Amino acid sequence: MIEPACLEKLEMECGALMSAHPPVLRHPHKQFAYDLCRAAGYQPTGNLNYSRWRPGPLPEALPVDEGLVQSHDGFYDYASASDSAWHVNFADPRLFVAYGSGLLAQDEIQVLEHPVLGSLRQALIAKRYEATTEGSSGPTPVLVQNAERVCAIDTSPSEISPRGLYGNRFQAASLDAVRAALKVFAQPTRTNLIAIAAPLGSGRYSRQQIERILTTAFTGFRAAKLVSATSVEIHTGFWGCGAFGGNRTLMVMLQLLAARMAQVPSVVFHLGSVSERPAFDEGRQTLQRLTKNMTSVDDLLKKIVEMRFPWGTSDGN
């Protein structure tokens, strides 16, 4: 196997990083949430590690072992926060680009809960780094190790915010609703992230689109395995299936396939709503059926293309 190549890396002390490059929070709700964390006594500690990766070619042969695959009702809870756990960030091609805006989708939630990520983006721009997860020549997944998770925000509907805070609803909410939804931790935890750009398309998935999605996920997952001193557990979900209208069944298949190709020993797939379980089950079972007597990755991709998976539509978030 020709491994992914590290294009650039940085190690930064978090206190110095956030002092020199404070998060730029353009929407008052984001500033309010950050101020609540600081008022509770948050002081950044430890070192943050950043790296960006260029893909190598996909393996020709499919590894025999699938690894452990588990599903989890609900969204990320970071209960497995450890050196071995990696959580996928469903990124824009521009790393954390909308973190300071009024939007609060998956990418922006992670930055709100891990404010050092906003400082990381500002530092990369100041140092003239790319700050991208994808370029004209292909995907360039980003790994971030040891990001402090300072708080948690509950975006589900509540009495004070009947429609919840997810997506564009966040900026229309009251400050009281933001305050009620935010839980600041007495002791921050640490998270490892794999930032990969969510794909966008329409009509039927082409071979080129499928191969690029698989290459993106494989590169990010394999890079996490390369930099980890311990065993790796990937936490992911319906990457690109919200605002970008990705096909849920196919995205399950391609991520589980990427994890198998990267020889990741454990995957936890977060379903969000229990209503999404049929899409997960269909994707996993379809992949198992296709790979039962197949070892060639190229032949497998041909079979997946022949299934003519359709793109969906945006959920508006």
Side-chain angles (χ1 to χ4, degrees), residues 227-238:
V227 304
S228 295
T230 61
S231 182
V232 171
E233 181 176 81
I234 301 292
H235 290 252
T236 190
F238 289 103

Side-chain angles (χ1 to χ4, degrees), residues 255-278:
Q255 289 188 87
L256 296 185
L257 176 58
R260 180 170 174 176
M261 291 166 55
Q263 299 178 329
V264 169
S266 178
V267 174
V268 180
F269 200 98
H270 295 255
L271 302 175
S273 168
V274 293
S275 64
E276 302 293 356
R277 179 167 293 280

Side-chain angles (χ1 to χ4, degrees), residues 76 87-92 95-96 106-108 110-111 117 133 193-197 235 239:
Y76 290 167
H87 288 75
V88 176
N89 166 269
F90 305 154
D92 187 270
L95 183 66
F96 309 136
Q106 196 260 9
D107 186 8
E108 295 77 31
Q110 283 190 330
V111 183
L117 299 176
T133 61
L193 295 176
I194 304 169
I196 50 178
H235 290 252
W239 167 43

Side-chain angles (χ1 to χ4, degrees), residues 97-307:
V97 65
Y99 80 88
S101 72
L103 180 65
L104 194 69
Q106 196 260 9
D107 186 8
E108 295 77 31
I109 290 172
Q110 283 190 330
V111 183
L112 185 148
E113 295 182 344
H114 305 76
V116 71
L117 299 176
S119 291
L120 172 60
R121 175 170 175 81
Q122 300 308 133
L124 293 173
I125 293 171
K127 295 175 184 292
R128 299 184 183 277
Y129 279 70
E130 289 287 338
T132 58
T133 61
E134 188 174 280
S136 58
S137 60
T140 56
V142 165
L143 303 187
V144 182
Q145 293 172 273
N146 301 320
E148 284 187 314
R149 185 170 182 246
V150 178
C151 63
I153 188 162
D154 184 357
T155 61
S156 59
S158 65
E159 184 176 343
I160 195 171
S161 181
R163 299 182 65 222
L165 300 180
Y166 191 82
N168 290 306
R169 298 184 184 115
F170 177 74
Q171 58 193 312
S174 67
L175 290 180
D176 285 341
V178 175
R179 188 197 308 273
L182 196 74
K183 177 183 178 181
V184 181
F185 302 147
Q187 182 63 47
T189 59
R190 295 190 180 273
T191 305
N192 300 322
L193 295 176
I194 304 169
I196 50 178
L200 181 64
S202 60
R204 302 281 179 180
Y205 281 80
S206 66
R207 165 70 184 247
Q208 182 180 18
Q209 289 172 330
I210 289 172
E211 193 162 341
R212 183 163 179 144
I213 293 166
L214 183 61
T215 297
T216 302
F218 167 74
T219 302
F221 296 173
R222 185 64 184 173
K225 196 168 189 297
L226 291 174
V227 304
S228 295
T230 61
S231 182
V232 171
E233 181 176 81
I234 301 292
H235 290 252
T236 190
F238 289 103
W239 167 43
C241 297
F244 288 0
N247 185 291
R248 283 170 164 73
T249 299
L250 179 61
M251 294 303 281
V252 170
M253 292 172 61
L254 295 180
Q255 289 188 87
L256 296 185
L257 176 58
R260 180 170 174 176
M261 291 166 55
Q263 299 178 329
V264 169
S266 178
V267 174
V268 180
F269 200 98
H270 295 255
L271 302 175
S273 168
V274 293
S275 64
E276 302 293 356
R277 179 167 293 280
F280 170 78
D281 290 341
E282 181 182 359
R284 186 180 184 193
Q285 292 164 10
T286 301
L287 182 64
Q288 289 175 330
R289 185 178 69 251
L290 291 177
T291 58
K292 187 174 182 180
N293 297 304
M294 189 177 295
T295 58
S296 167
V297 171
D298 184 65
D299 289 345
L300 178 57
L301 286 174
K302 289 176 183 176
K303 289 290 186 182
I304 294 174
V305 173
E306 289 171 0
M307 296 179 74

